[in-house]
């Protein structure tokens, strides 16, 4: 369940500020200082009762709140107004599935949106693993059934190119460069391009379906998705982050086989996508000061 910051938990606010500064630069520090006043103004405008702040969120500040009719919701603010506008568009795209939060109010010019809160909201990585592949497959099927709008120009190639460019800059960091060579990174890029060149049935992807973006929606709803980065591409891509998260648990290869069977995916392509994403997952682990066996497994799989 997402950790909440009490209103006066300065240590928690420092952690959130550090995340946003790392994403948006030093100007984010002033934005964070001003954000509570903006949240209060918007709460008055929309008649919301503000609660505690969520501790996680690398691109936004998020408050739990209640709507006038008692509906549990979240108020999300980001210094990146274009990001909020894009997510609004994507949430509305996937809305017919019923498996993304509903948009209750929005002020994209202020980088603000109010969404229904997903409850109980337990992250997929913290759910019992035995039924998770089947549930993940059901979520993917519902999202991938979304008709592609004519104006959806973002595709998986652009998504991957952006990720490799952004994350690849970190190879210059000593801790990361010591474990991930330029040759390994280039090999991942080449594998990625081969997979992109052989896509046969592109669907509307969530685009960022990692275990932290998949939450338990409770009885009758199952798994739900947050923070989409919708694009057109290979259906395997929306399973790969969960597969790679099998490192240090049942193992990437074993999880890949389970996911391919449960989701009706090509096991060979899913394994190949996992080799592409494994170095990125290793960088994330190294950033969290994890240099143990999980990173070793990720890098061995990437080879």
């Amino acid at each position: 369940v997402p950790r909440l910051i009490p209103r006066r938990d300065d240590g928690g606010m420092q952690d959130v500020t550090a995340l946003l500064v790392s994403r948006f630069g030093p100007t984010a520090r002033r934005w964070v200082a001003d954000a509570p006043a903006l949240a209060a103004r918007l709460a008055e405008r929309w008649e919301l009762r503000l609660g505690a702040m969520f501790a996680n969120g690398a691109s936004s500040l998020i408050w739990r709140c209640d709507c006038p009719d008692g509906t549990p919701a979240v108020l999300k603010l980001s210094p990146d107004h274009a990001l909020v506008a894009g997510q609004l568009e994507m949430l509305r795209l996937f809305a017919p599935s019923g498996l993304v939060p509903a948009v209750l109010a929005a002020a994209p010019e202020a980088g603000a949106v109010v969404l229904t809160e997903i409850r109980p909201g337990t992250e997929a990585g913290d759910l019992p693993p035995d039924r998770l592949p089947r549930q993940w497959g059901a979520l993917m099927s519902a999202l991938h059934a979304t008709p592609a709008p004519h104006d959806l120009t973002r595709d998986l190639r652009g998504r991957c190119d952006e990720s490799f460019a952004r994350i690849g800059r970190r190879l210059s960091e000593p801790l990361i460069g010591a474990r991930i060579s330029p040759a390994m990174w280039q090999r991942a890029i080449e594998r990625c391009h081969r997979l992109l060149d052989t896509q046969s049935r592109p669907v509307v992807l969530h685009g960022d379906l990692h275990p932290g973006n998949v939450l338990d929606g409770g009885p009758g709803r199952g798994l739900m998705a947050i923070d989409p980065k919708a694009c057109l591409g290979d259906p395997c891509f929306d399973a790969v982050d969960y597969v790679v998260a099998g490192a240090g648990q049942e193992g990437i290869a074993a999880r890949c086989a389970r996911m391919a069977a449960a989701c009706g995916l090509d096991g060979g392509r899913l394994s190949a996508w996992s080799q592409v994403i494994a170095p990125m997952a290793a960088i994330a682990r190294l950033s969290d000061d994890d240099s143990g066996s999980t990173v070793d497994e990720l890098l061995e799989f990437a080879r």
Side-chain angles (χ1 to χ4, degrees):
V1 177
R3 186 166 60 89
L4 295 172
I5 299 176
R7 291 177 183 269
R8 296 181 181 176
D9 183 349
D10 294 336
M13 281 301 298
Q14 289 173 5
D15 292 342
V16 174
T17 301
L19 282 172
L20 291 170
V21 168
S22 69
R23 174 75 179 261
F24 298 113
T27 58
R29 197 175 303 278
R30 176 60 184 269
W31 181 88
V32 171
D34 294 339
L38 174 59
R41 291 196 300 273
L42 291 169
E44 182 177 5
R45 170 179 167 184
W46 289 322
E47 299 182 336
L48 305 173
R49 185 169 64 85
L50 286 182
M53 184 187 295
F54 285 97
N56 51 342
S59 62
S60 59
L61 296 179
I62 305 171
W63 283 263
R64 175 170 278 163
C65 58
D66 291 319
C67 296
D69 63 359
T71 299
V74 294
L75 169 62
K76 182 175 182 177
L77 302 181
S78 175
D80 188 339
H81 296 182
L83 181 146
V84 171
Q87 287 201 341
L88 281 169
E89 179 183 345
M90 294 172 197
L91 287 169
R92 288 165 176 155
L93 173 65
F94 287 120
S97 73
L99 297 179
V100 296
V103 178
L104 302 178
E109 72 283 357
V113 60
V114 180
L115 306 171
T116 54
E117 183 182 0
I118 297 175
R119 291 188 176 180
T122 307
E123 292 185 3
D126 296 325
L127 294 172
D130 54 334
R131 290 178 292 179
L132 202 53
R134 178 179 56 80
Q135 294 173 322
W136 199 287
L139 174 62
M140 284 176 50
S141 294
L143 297 178
H144 293 175
T146 301
H150 70 277
D151 57 348
L152 180 59
T153 58
R154 182 177 172 88
D155 62 14
L156 185 55
R157 187 178 300 274
R159 171 95 173 86
C160 291
D161 287 348
E162 182 277 331
S163 295
F164 274 113
R166 173 173 48 84
I167 300 172
R169 290 193 288 268
R170 303 198 58 194
L171 295 182
S172 62
E173 298 176 21
L175 180 64
I176 292 170
R179 300 298 306 274
I180 301 174
S181 68
M184 176 182 286
W185 195 249
Q186 184 61 34
R187 187 161 57 244
I189 292 173
E190 291 169 358
R191 284 173 173 153
C192 181
H193 287 169
R194 286 196 294 271
L195 287 165
L196 292 169
D197 290 343
T198 55
Q199 297 177 101
S200 59
R201 55 182 188 98
V203 299
V204 179
L205 299 170
H206 176 283
D208 197 22
L209 207 62
H210 60 75
N213 276 348
V214 177
L215 310 180
D216 180 9
R221 303 189 82 173
L223 298 181
M224 298 183 66
I226 61 172
D227 294 346
K229 294 182 179 177
C231 60
L232 291 170
D234 188 336
C236 286
F237 190 79
D238 272 349
V240 69
D241 281 315
Y242 180 66
V243 168
V244 171
Q249 300 185 44
E250 72 264 42
I252 300 173
R255 183 171 286 189
C256 181
R258 290 179 61 210
M259 285 291 283
C263 302
L265 299 171
D266 181 324
R269 288 189 69 84
L270 184 55
S271 179
W273 273 116
S274 301
Q275 287 183 300
V276 169
I277 299 301
M280 297 185 186
I283 288 174
R285 287 276 186 171
L286 289 167
S287 300
D288 292 335
D289 294 326
D290 180 352
S291 58
S293 59
T294 299
V295 171
D296 293 341
E297 181 181 349
L298 287 164
L299 296 182
E300 181 60 32
F301 196 83
R303 293 187 180 93

